[in-house]
């Protein structure tokens, strides 16, 4: 049919100027999101909009520390997004654990579980720093180098191995069986205490 | 033998034979043949409607007369077609020969009512039809059948009293003679001369007929038998029950107009641009639309949802009849046809679902679209038709009705009719979401699709839905013949009312063009991969099939809360309370008057003899 | 035949482009009200290109795909019936009631597609969308009845022609009442506050749209654009006089002039909707139903009764 590669510059322009962010505010960095979206540092002029449904969103902001409980939900949401998708890591916690470098329940090295495209250091980075990071992300998209999703698809065994090592195999079903009765207020006897 | 006799009596004879010959395969064949005979003759007699065919059966003292004209043929066609489809589906869901006997007997009764040419025949076949359908409901549930029986008998006695009054004054039952006499009366009343019926008597006859036909058609205060009766019977039979038997009430109202319309119009006067007596019927019809529709949205049982939906759709027909112009009567007849088609189809779908899954409440069903794809396709056609979506027949009839009502400057009725169409969307989405989509409960993993006879029956009705929707001119031509003048113009695909036009073919072509454009855009994107129903966004919690996350109970809870005040008023409770009061009265009588004590009986006897002696008898 | 197809195609391209501009206008005007800079006006086109060019899509079955395609097809169909100045492919058959029905059908298609995914958020969204639809039917019905009784005809084209001689519809009192009621109904049809309970971002994750992504969402954006155009065009035609310009000699200039006038009227309608939507929070569904069944119904019923006298 049509050779879409001819239109790559236009499509990349569209992709970089209309990134939709999954409204998933992990950790303490979520507090930095409202200043970015509101009148002073207006993020909507770049076309970025928060969007509650992952099926329509491309950009995932990991704003702050990540615990195993949160990491499970991040992985499930990340896999629900359609390609191409990008991950932006705010703060020092996703990089190397940040101020929780010696905690027993914070993930120190996020890149082992989810591919990260751009990382912004700081505890919390100011909005200007975040804008800088977003500018770098747009540059990566324009030159076609924002390929975190490709890395995830190609090295899926590596990522899956790391995830299973952390949570144990079959963690989705076990988490479902533990949490859905609680949400639906039907307490049942569930064996195993893992979250 | 005369064709009309064959049409009326063939189903009855076939039913009796099927009941006597109780062998499983043979009784089905006899039954289906018995239902196919009227259908075949109805098709053949299409050419001969103008010839004045009639048939007289003389039973000693009085005669039963049947005749065929264009109006009869229209209703005969509806009755034969939907009746045949229902009997064909009864092949799969019929439980024993009892049901075959009474289903065919009621089909016979219905055809007799439509073809009757005098009031006595009308009444006799009305009673046969009511009796047979009562026996069908009795087979499943006694309380529902009792309610149906009481209300039907109440209506039938009202009709009998009205019949008696007419016979006493005019001395005849024949339709043509009564119509002549009533015309003379109407002119006499208009000029102030003496009339045979006084004003009070004609109003009384009108009210009695209103009650009689209103019960059968399920009009607003008298509809309480319908939900229970339509749900507690064999669901294939319910297709005929709600599709055809309720049309006898509609036919009765049209008879009321033909026989007494002019007289009542002159007696009671007009109201804005219609007659007063017609406006009462139309207003009650409008209330029926709203009440039936809102209650349908709140039901938990699939059969009751469609029963209330039937009541709601009949309200449309009553509005059309009540407004009284030629166009609105044609609209009402058109809607009668399309209602019989899509409601018959819906009840057959319900019958298939109940037959295959054995469940009747929404809470137990779900996710059946993958397992029963043919039934789902039929349900799709029926849903589009009931909701009134353009290329199908439901839209054509609703459109003509809207235009007819609104062009007569009746804003309240117009608003009610408009409201009714949105209600249709509401309860259909409830039906679709709870039954066809979502997670499937594990005990439904092995359901099979519809059996062959039901699939054929559904396909026949769906085909007529689509054909008559794309070419509504076919129906419009027949309706114009009934009224003798060109009320709805246009050609095969276009309905032209002078102040509005509807072009079914153009809509179909442009809809297909639009879908093709959308399809091209769709296929230019990347290929889509299929994901299971557990891969869905639940705020990032993982989902398994063990827990049901589909909302099947109380789907319209906000509506129930909004209408909480109005739902406390219920005519069903009123009738129950009246029934309980009568029982108490009977109890009082039994304790004080008929108390089984021989001495008080002796006293009664003595008192009566004394009174009679004093009177000098 | 070819000429009709060409005209239809041009109308479609024009409607899509202007519809996207309207969506952009909504975003940028809302942003300016919030004293922000806001996205550029062509932002929805970039969104749609991004969505249509996603490299992997998911589907939940045949009805999921078909519902979305059907919604877009039905919107295109509705567009063909509304007279656009003096153009209009099927304007002889453009009935008031037909167009009103056709503008509601895409919602049904989207509901079908959303429900087939089996998501409970989609189910709740469908329920709320339907109850909103139910709530708006009463004032909508009375407004249409008022129009039909006042002009004595149902055809939209004839109403537009009648307004060229009699002046705009809103000059007459019954139709002014009907127009006010219809404008309140338009808020719900656009899906803007205070009646955007069916979309409700953040509360039920966009309701019916929760499982749509990639090209399905792209098609839904196109549908929303054409629907915005069609609804504002319908309002401008029946209440604000449409535009039939015959001043110039050449038909092309006439067409451009009438399209321009229509555009101004449509943007006026859109601005009213944006201004109301920017200041109100969201009503819950029973509040919305009770509101619609009280004041807009009374206003529209008054208009209908006055029109029929």
């Amino acid at each position: 049919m049509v050779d879409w590669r001819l239109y790559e510059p236009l499509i990349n322009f569209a992709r970089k100027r209309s990134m939709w962010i999954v409204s998933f505010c992990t950790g303490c960095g979520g507090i930095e999101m409202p200043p970015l979206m509101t009148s002073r540092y207006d993020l909507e002029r770049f076309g970025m909009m928060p969007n509650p449904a992952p099926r329509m969103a491309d950009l995932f902001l990991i704003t702050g520390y990540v615990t195993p409980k949160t990491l499970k939900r991040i992985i499930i949401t990340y896999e629900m997004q359609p390609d191409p998708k990008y991950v932006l890591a705010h703060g020092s916690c996703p990089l190397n654990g940040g101020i929780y470098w010696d905690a027993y329940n914070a993930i120190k090295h996020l890149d082992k579980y989810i591919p990260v495209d751009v990382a912004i250091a700081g505890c919390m980075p100011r909005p200007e720093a975040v804008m800088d990071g977003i500018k770098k992300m747009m540059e990566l998209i324009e030159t076609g180098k924002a390929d975190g999703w490709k890395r995830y698809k190609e090295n899926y065994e590596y990522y899956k191995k790391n995830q299973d090592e952390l949570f144990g195999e079959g963690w989705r079903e076990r988490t479902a069986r533990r949490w859905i009765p609680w949400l639906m207020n039907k307490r049942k006897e569930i064996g195993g205490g893992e979250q | 033998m005369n064709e009309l006799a064959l049409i009326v009596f063939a189903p009855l004879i076939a039913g009796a034979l099927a009941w006597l010959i109780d062998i499983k395969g043979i009784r089905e064949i006899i039954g289906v043949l018995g239902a196919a005979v009227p259908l075949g003759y109805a098709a053949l007699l299409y050419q001969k409607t103008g010839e004045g065919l009639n048939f007289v059966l003389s039973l000693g003292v009085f005669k039963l007369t049947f005749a065929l004209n264009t109006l009869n043929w229209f209703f005969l066609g509806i009755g034969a077609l939907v009746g045949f489809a229902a009997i064909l589906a009864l092949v799969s869901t019929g439980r024993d020969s009892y049901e075959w006997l009474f289903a065919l007997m009621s089909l016979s009764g219905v055809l007799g009512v439509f073809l009757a040419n005098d009031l006595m025949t009308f009444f006799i076949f009305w009673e046969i039809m009511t009796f047979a359908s009562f026996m069908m409901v009795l087979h499943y549930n006694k309380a529902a059948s009792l309610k149906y029986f009481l209300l039907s008998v109440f209506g039938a006695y009202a009709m009998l009293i009205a019949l008696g009054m007419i016979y006493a004054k005019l001395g005849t039952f024949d339709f043509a003679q009564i119509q002549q006499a009533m015309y003379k009366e109407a002119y006499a009343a208009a000029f102030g001369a003496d009339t045979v019926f006084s004003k009070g008597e004609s109003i009384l006859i009108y009210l009695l007929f209103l009650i009689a036909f209103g019960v059968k058609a399920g009009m607003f205060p008298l509809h309480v038998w319908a939900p229970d009766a339509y749900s507690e019977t064999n669901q294939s039979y319910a297709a005929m029950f709600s599709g055809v038997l309720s049309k006898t009430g509609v036919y009765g109202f049209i008879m009321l107009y033909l026989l007494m319309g002019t007289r009542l119009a002159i007696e009671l006067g007009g109201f804005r641009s219609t007659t007063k007596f017609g406006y009462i019927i139309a207003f009650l019809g409008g209330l029926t639309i709203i009440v039936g529709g809102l209650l349908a949205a709140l039901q938990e049982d699939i059969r009751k949802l469609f029963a209330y939906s039937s009541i709601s759709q009949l309200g449309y027909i009553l509005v059309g009849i009540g407004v009284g112009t030629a166009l609105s009567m044609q609209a009402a007849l058109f809607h009668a046809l399309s209602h019989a088609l899509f409601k018959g189809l819906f009840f057959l779908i319900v019958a298939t679902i109940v037959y295959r899954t054995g469940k009747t409440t929404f809470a137990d069903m779900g996710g059946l679209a993958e397992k029963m794809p043919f039934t789902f396709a039929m349900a799709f056609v029926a849903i589009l038709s009931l909701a009134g979506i353009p290329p199908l027949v439901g839209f054509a009839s609703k459109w003509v009705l809207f235009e007819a009502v609104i062009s007569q400057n009746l804003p309240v009725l117009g608003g009610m009719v408009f409201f009714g169409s949105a209600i249709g969307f509401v309860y259909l989405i409830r039906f679709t979401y709870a039954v066809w989509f979502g997670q499937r409960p594990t005990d439904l993993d092995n359901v099979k699709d519809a059996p062959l006879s039901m699939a054929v029956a559904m396909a026949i009705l769906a085909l007529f839905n689509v054909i008559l929707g794309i070419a509504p001119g076919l129906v419009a031509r027949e309706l114009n013949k009934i009224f003798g003048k060109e009320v709805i113009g246009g050609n095969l695909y276009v309905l032209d009312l002078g102040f509005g036009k509807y072009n079914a073919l153009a809509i179909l072509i442009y809809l297909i063009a639009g879908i093709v454009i959308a399809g091209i855009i769709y296929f230019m994107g990347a290929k889509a991969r299929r994901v299971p129903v557990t891969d869905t966004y639940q705020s990032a919690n993982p989902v398994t099939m063990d827990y049901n996350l589909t909302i099947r109970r109380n789907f319209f809870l906000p509506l129930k809360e909004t209408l909480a005040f109005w739902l406390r008023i219920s005519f069903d409770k009123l009738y129950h309370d009246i029934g309980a009061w009568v029982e108490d009265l009977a109890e009082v009588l039994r304790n004080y008057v008929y108390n089984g004590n021989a001495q008080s009986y002796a006293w009664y006897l003595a008192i009566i003899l004394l009174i009679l002696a004093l009177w000098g008898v | 035949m070819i000429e009709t197809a060409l005209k239809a195609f041009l109308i479609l391209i024009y409607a899509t482009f202007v519809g996207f501009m309207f969506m952009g206008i909504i975003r940028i005007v809302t942003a300016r009200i919030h004293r922000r800079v806001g996205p550029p006006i062509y932002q929805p086109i970039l969104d749609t290109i991004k969505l249509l060019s996603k490299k992997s899509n998911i589907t939940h079955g045949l009805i999921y795909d078909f519902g979305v395609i059907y919604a877009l097809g039905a919107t295109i169909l509705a567009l063909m019936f509304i007279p656009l100045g003096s153009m209009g492919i099927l304007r002889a058959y453009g009935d008031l009631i037909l167009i009103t029905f056709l503008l509601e059908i895409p919602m049904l298609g989207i509901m079908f597609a959303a429900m087939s995914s089996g998501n409970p958020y989609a189910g709740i969204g469908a329920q709320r969308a339907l109850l909103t639809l139910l709530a708006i039917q009463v004032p909508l019905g009375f407004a249409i009845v008022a129009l039909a009784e006042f002009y004595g005809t149902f055809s939209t084209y004839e109403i537009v022609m009648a307004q060229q001689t009699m002046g705009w519809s809103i000059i007459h009192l019954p139709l002014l009442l009907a127009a006010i009621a219809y404008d309140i109904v338009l808020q719900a049809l656009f899906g803007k506050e205070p009646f955007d309970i069916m979309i409700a971002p953040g509360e039920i994750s966009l309701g019916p749209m929760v499982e749509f992504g990639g090209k399905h969402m792209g098609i839904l954006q196109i549908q929303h654009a054409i629907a915005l155009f069609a609804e504002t065009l319908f309002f401008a035609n029946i209440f604000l006089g449409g535009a039939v310009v015959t001043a110039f000699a050449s038909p092309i200039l006439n067409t451009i002039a009438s399209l321009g006038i229509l555009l101004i009227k449509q943007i006026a309608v859109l601005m009213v909707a944006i201004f109301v939507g920017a200041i109100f929070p969201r009503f819950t569904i029973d509040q919305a139903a009770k509101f619609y069944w009280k004041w807009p119904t009374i206003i529209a019923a008054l208009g209908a009764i006055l029109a029929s006298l």
Side-chain angles (χ1 to χ4, degrees):
Chain A
M1 283 228 337
V2 188
D3 191 359
W4 291 116
R5 286 189 305 240
L6 283 177
Y7 295 92
E8 277 300 311
L10 175 63
I11 295 182
N12 279 337
F13 178 73
R15 281 193 191 135
K16 86 168 189 207
R17 292 297 293 269
S18 110
M19 289 193 265
W20 283 357
I21 308 179
V22 180
S23 330
F24 193 117
C25 299
T26 43
C28 36
I31 202 74
E32 282 295 321
M33 287 299 105
L36 272 177
M37 312 286 182
T38 50
S39 306
R40 186 150 175 174
Y41 306 99
D42 181 18
L43 210 52
E44 201 175 347
R45 53 195 153 125
F46 302 122
M48 303 178 120
M49 236 178 30
N51 202 308
R55 297 256 187 229
M56 303 184 220
D58 355 60
L59 184 58
F60 202 143
L61 298 175
I62 311 234
T63 54
Y65 66 88
V66 176
T67 53
K69 193 172 176 183
T70 319
L71 185 61
K72 284 184 197 170
R73 273 77 181 172
I74 289 181
I75 294 176
I76 291 178
T77 312
Y78 182 75
E79 288 181 354
M80 273 197 205
Q81 289 180 345
D83 300 323
K85 46 197 175 188
Y86 322 107
V87 175
L88 189 65
H90 274 204
S92 320
C93 293
L95 281 178
N96 54 10
I99 57 175
Y100 304 109
W101 60 274
D102 57 354
Y104 67 95
N105 61 349
I107 308 280
K108 315 293 185 314
H109 191 190
L110 188 61
D111 208 27
K112 281 204 297 187
Y113 307 100
I114 292 280
V116 173
D117 290 303
V118 170
I120 308 174
C123 192
M124 277 282 115
R126 271 194 60 83
E128 291 94 346
V130 179
M131 297 278 207
D132 221 10
I134 288 181
K135 204 156 70 100
K136 177 109 177 75
M137 172 70 87
M138 295 213 269
E139 269 171 43
L140 284 182
I141 296 179
E142 199 167 352
T143 54
K145 291 220 208 80
D147 55 356
W149 54 278
K150 275 194 217 151
R151 272 186 284 144
Y152 193 72
K153 270 207 314 211
E154 283 154 16
N155 307 329
Y156 186 59
E157 294 84 26
Y158 167 71
Y159 286 109
K160 189 156 160 37
K161 185 166 74 75
N162 287 333
Q163 291 165 8
D164 282 346
E165 218 175 282
L166 181 57
F167 304 126
E169 293 240 0
W171 52 273
R172 291 176 209 246
E173 284 77 24
R174 252 181 312 156
T175 319
R177 276 191 209 106
R178 167 149 175 152
W179 280 107
I180 295 189
W182 179 82
L183 285 172
M184 295 170 68
N185 215 12
K186 288 194 236 249
R187 310 226 169 219
K188 282 165 72 156
E189 272 305 313
I190 309 281
E194 194 199 314
Q195 299 171 14
Chain B
M1 235 188 118
N2 194 331
E3 294 108 344
L4 294 184
L6 265 181
I7 293 180
V8 173
F9 289 108
L12 185 59
I13 299 174
L17 274 179
W19 180 62
L20 289 172
I21 308 176
D22 206 351
I23 311 174
K24 198 159 174 343
I26 302 200
R27 71 164 184 239
E28 265 94 18
I29 297 180
I30 297 181
V32 171
L33 278 177
V37 165
L39 185 62
Y41 270 109
L44 284 174
L45 289 179
Y46 172 57
Q47 306 299 331
K48 300 197 198 165
T49 51
E51 286 181 17
L53 277 177
N54 64 1
F55 167 66
V56 175
L57 181 66
S58 136
L59 290 176
V61 177
F62 57 92
K63 301 203 283 265
L64 300 176
T65 54
F66 302 95
L68 184 69
N69 54 37
T70 37
L71 183 64
N72 281 347
W73 185 84
F74 189 76
F75 279 99
L76 176 67
I78 300 177
L81 180 64
V82 180
F84 175 65
I87 300 284
L88 193 57
L90 198 63
V91 167
S92 310
T93 61
R95 292 209 297 218
D96 49 19
S97 55
Y98 174 105
E99 291 189 353
W100 282 97
L101 171 65
F102 286 113
L104 287 165
M105 191 192 289
S106 70
L107 183 60
S108 215
V110 166
L111 297 177
V113 165
F114 286 147
L115 288 175
N117 200 24
D118 67 59
L119 280 174
M120 186 46 91
T121 319
F122 190 85
F123 185 70
I124 290 180
F125 278 90
W126 183 277
E127 287 299 295
I128 292 181
M129 164 184 80
T130 311
F131 170 67
S133 45
F134 161 68
M135 295 300 277
M136 287 295 283
V137 179
L138 181 63
H139 200 46
Y140 282 69
N141 183 327
K142 262 173 81 170
S145 66
L146 195 62
K147 210 180 347 183
Y148 174 46
F149 187 64
L150 278 176
L151 277 169
S152 286
V153 159
F154 182 53
Y157 284 165
M159 183 154 57
L160 194 58
I161 296 177
L163 243 66
M165 281 170 71
I166 293 183
Y167 188 72
K169 292 291 176 80
L170 296 177
T172 170
F173 282 127
D174 192 52
F175 278 163
Q177 290 175 352
I178 297 181
Q179 199 173 13
Q180 289 290 12
M182 287 290 180
Y183 272 151
K184 281 199 241 152
E185 299 242 336
Y187 287 122
F191 293 120
D194 270 343
T195 59
V196 180
F197 289 103
S198 70
K199 176 166 176 166
E201 284 180 355
S202 50
I203 294 184
L204 184 62
I205 295 184
Y206 164 64
L207 284 174
L208 290 171
F209 272 131
L210 185 69
I211 294 178
F213 299 134
V215 165
K216 204 53 169 190
M219 207 166 65
F220 168 53
L222 304 162
H223 64 282
V224 295
W225 58 271
D228 292 323
Y230 288 161
S231 3
E232 302 289 343
T233 175
N234 189 328
Q235 291 300 300
S236 313
Y237 179 67
M240 182 158 61
F241 198 170
S242 81
V244 181
L245 265 67
S246 49
K247 301 298 177 302
T248 57
V250 170
Y251 183 69
F253 274 116
I254 295 184
M255 277 294 119
L256 184 67
Y257 259 80
L258 284 180
L259 294 181
M260 294 184 59
T262 336
R263 174 98 173 91
L264 286 172
I266 296 186
E267 278 291 348
L268 294 175
F271 174 76
R272 305 201 57 201
S273 44
T274 88
T275 54
K276 259 201 205 127
F277 78 95
Y279 195 75
I280 297 180
I281 299 179
F283 195 75
L284 286 175
L287 283 178
T288 313
I289 299 178
I290 298 181
V291 167
L294 285 175
L295 285 175
L298 301 173
Q299 295 300 314
E300 301 291 325
D301 185 327
I302 191 176
R303 305 168 300 180
K304 282 220 168 82
L305 186 139
F306 282 112
Y308 275 107
S309 159
S310 267
I311 299 174
S312 176
Q313 296 295 315
L314 268 162
Y316 278 96
I317 303 179
L318 291 176
V319 167
I321 292 182
V323 170
T325 62
L327 179 61
S328 73
M329 295 278 246
Q330 282 201 357
L333 289 176
F334 199 162
H335 199 73
L337 171 65
S338 66
H339 172 253
L341 285 177
F342 59 66
K343 201 35 76 76
L345 185 56
F346 261 122
F347 271 107
L348 288 182
I349 293 171
V350 170
T352 314
I353 296 176
V354 170
Y355 176 62
R356 282 297 192 203
T357 64
K359 313 246 188 248
T360 54
T361 48
F362 286 120
D364 303 325
M365 300 189 224
L368 290 176
E370 319 175 285
K371 290 288 172 187
M372 305 172 83
F374 181 75
T375 317
F376 180 59
M378 296 289 116
F380 195 63
V381 170
I383 288 172
L384 291 185
S385 199
L386 201 159
I389 291 187
L392 293 172
V393 74
F395 180 74
S397 61
K398 272 195 199 168
W399 180 80
V400 180
L401 189 65
F402 281 169
E403 305 251 332
V405 168
I406 297 176
S407 65
Q408 290 296 112
N409 286 336
L410 295 166
V412 174
L413 283 182
M416 281 191 197
V417 174
F418 213 82
F419 188 71
S421 63
I423 291 267
F425 274 21
V426 167
Y427 55 75
L428 286 178
I429 293 281
R430 162 104 168 95
F431 165 62
T432 316
Y433 183 59
V435 173
W436 301 107
F437 296 135
Q439 282 172 294
R440 191 168 45 238
T442 41
D443 52 350
L444 293 183
D445 273 333
N446 297 329
V447 294
K448 297 186 287 246
D449 210 343
L452 180 64
S453 62
M454 303 185 86
V456 170
M458 290 197 283
I460 295 177
L461 289 180
L463 198 64
F464 268 94
N465 254 321
V466 174
I467 292 181
L468 290 180
I470 299 180
L474 285 173
V475 183
R477 248 193 342 218
E478 299 310 314
L479 294 175
N480 283 336
K481 268 199 236 165
I482 294 178
F483 281 83
K485 52 183 168 142
E486 177 124 358
V487 180
I488 302 183
N491 61 18
L492 194 60
Y493 300 108
V494 177
L495 294 179
D496 184 354
L497 298 178
F499 43 82
K501 292 197 215 165
Y502 165 63
N503 187 338
L505 192 63
I507 290 185
L508 186 67
I509 293 179
Y510 277 93
L511 183 64
I512 294 185
I515 292 185
V516 164
I517 296 180
I520 292 179
I521 301 181
Y522 179 81
F523 283 111
M524 286 201 306
K527 201 158 151 38
R529 70 169 206 276
R530 178 76 199 261
V531 295
V533 76
T534 49
D535 187 358
T536 180
Y537 182 64
Q538 270 294 102
S539 310
N541 273 316
V543 175
T544 60
M545 287 292 259
D546 300 336
Y547 301 100
N548 170 36
L549 292 175
T550 323
I551 308 169
R552 294 197 198 107
R553 278 183 315 122
N554 266 338
F555 191 69
F556 281 115
L557 195 57
L559 189 63
K560 209 191 273 199
E561 289 166 3
T562 315
L563 296 174
F565 172 69
W566 297 99
L567 286 175
R568 281 190 261 133
I569 310 174
S570 157
F571 269 92
D572 203 11
K573 243 166 26 89
L574 179 70
Y575 293 140
H576 267 279
D577 288 345
I578 293 181
W581 183 79
V582 169
E583 274 189 48
D584 285 343
L585 184 65
E587 197 68 25
V588 163
L589 278 183
R590 199 178 70 79
N591 280 333
Y592 288 106
V593 177
Y594 292 106
N595 51 7
N597 189 343
Q599 288 180 333
S600 43
Y601 290 165
W603 269 109
Y604 297 152
L605 206 53
I607 293 178
I608 297 293
L609 284 176
L610 196 57
I611 294 180
L612 286 177
L614 283 178
W615 242 354
V617 166
Chain C
M1 184 71 169
I2 298 286
E3 192 190 318
T4 324
L6 195 63
K7 256 206 300 191
F9 193 65
L10 282 175
I11 290 182
L12 190 59
I13 301 280
Y14 176 72
T16 316
F17 181 70
V18 174
F20 278 133
M21 292 295 120
F22 283 178
M23 284 165 73
I25 290 179
I26 293 181
R27 276 176 79 172
I28 194 170
V29 171
T30 315
R32 292 296 163 94
I33 294 179
H34 295 166
R35 298 179 65 146
R36 295 185 278 130
V37 175
I41 207 171
Y42 52 85
Q43 181 65 33
I45 300 186
L46 293 179
D47 286 340
T48 311
I49 295 180
K50 174 204 80 169
L51 285 169
L52 285 175
S53 68
K54 285 279 184 183
K55 293 201 196 294
S56 80
N57 292 302
I58 59 122
T59 172
H60 279 283
L62 184 62
I63 289 291
Y64 184 81
D65 304 330
F66 183 68
V68 170
I69 297 181
Y70 183 80
L72 183 57
T75 316
I76 295 178
L77 177 67
L79 185 64
M80 292 298 147
F81 282 98
I82 310 180
L84 187 64
S86 52
M87 288 211 286
I89 308 294
L90 291 173
R91 62 163 187 239
Y93 300 108
D95 221 57
L96 278 179
I97 295 180
L98 183 69
I99 298 179
T100 310
F101 259 34
L102 282 177
L103 285 175
E104 290 172 6
I105 290 176
M107 196 191 302
L108 198 68
I110 300 178
M111 294 299 138
F112 263 90
M115 289 188 318
S116 78
S117 64
N119 194 327
Y121 291 146
I124 297 185
Q127 169 219 61
R128 290 171 174 187
L130 282 170
L131 291 180
T132 310
L133 188 65
L134 191 63
I136 68 175
Q137 286 298 107
V138 188
L140 185 63
F142 281 131
I144 299 281
V145 165
L147 264 179
E149 298 201 353
F150 191 83
Y151 285 108
T153 171
F154 277 92
S155 160
T156 318
Y157 183 62
E158 290 187 20
I159 292 180
V160 170
M161 282 299 155
Q163 282 178 78
Q164 305 302 324
T165 51
M166 285 167 57
W168 291 6
S169 288
I170 53 178
I171 298 182
H172 315 277
L173 178 63
L175 293 184
L176 179 62
L177 296 174
I180 295 177
Y182 196 91
D183 204 23
I184 305 180
V185 164
L186 264 185
Q187 283 294 112
L189 282 179
F190 289 157
K192 287 205 65 61
E193 285 90 355
F195 301 113
D196 68 343
I197 191 75
M198 39 185 152
I199 306 292
E203 184 182 339
I204 45 170
S205 301
L206 291 187
M209 316 285 194
V210 65
E211 280 292 311
F212 288 125
K215 63 182 175 181
H216 296 89
M217 194 64 199
I219 295 182
L220 283 181
Q221 295 279 83
I222 301 179
Q223 187 266 334
H224 192 224
I226 302 183
L228 262 183
F229 184 82
E231 282 160 12
T232 46
L233 183 64
F234 190 52
F235 189 88
N237 269 330
I238 57 181
F239 285 115
L240 294 178
V244 181
V245 173
T246 44
F248 302 101
S250 79
I252 305 227
L253 278 181
N254 274 339
T255 314
I256 295 183
S258 44
L259 283 182
I261 297 182
L262 269 179
L263 198 61
I264 297 177
K265 293 184 183 172
Q266 287 177 277
I267 293 185
V269 173
L270 197 65
M271 284 296 175
V272 170
I274 297 176
F275 291 154
V276 170
I279 55 179
F280 274 99
R282 198 179 297 145
F283 280 2
T284 65
I285 186 64
D286 47 332
Q287 285 173 336
K290 285 199 185 114
F291 170 73
Y292 268 119
W293 284 342
K294 211 165 78 151
W295 287 112
T297 307
I298 294 179
I299 296 177
L302 211 58
I305 295 179
L306 283 178
S308 69
L309 284 176

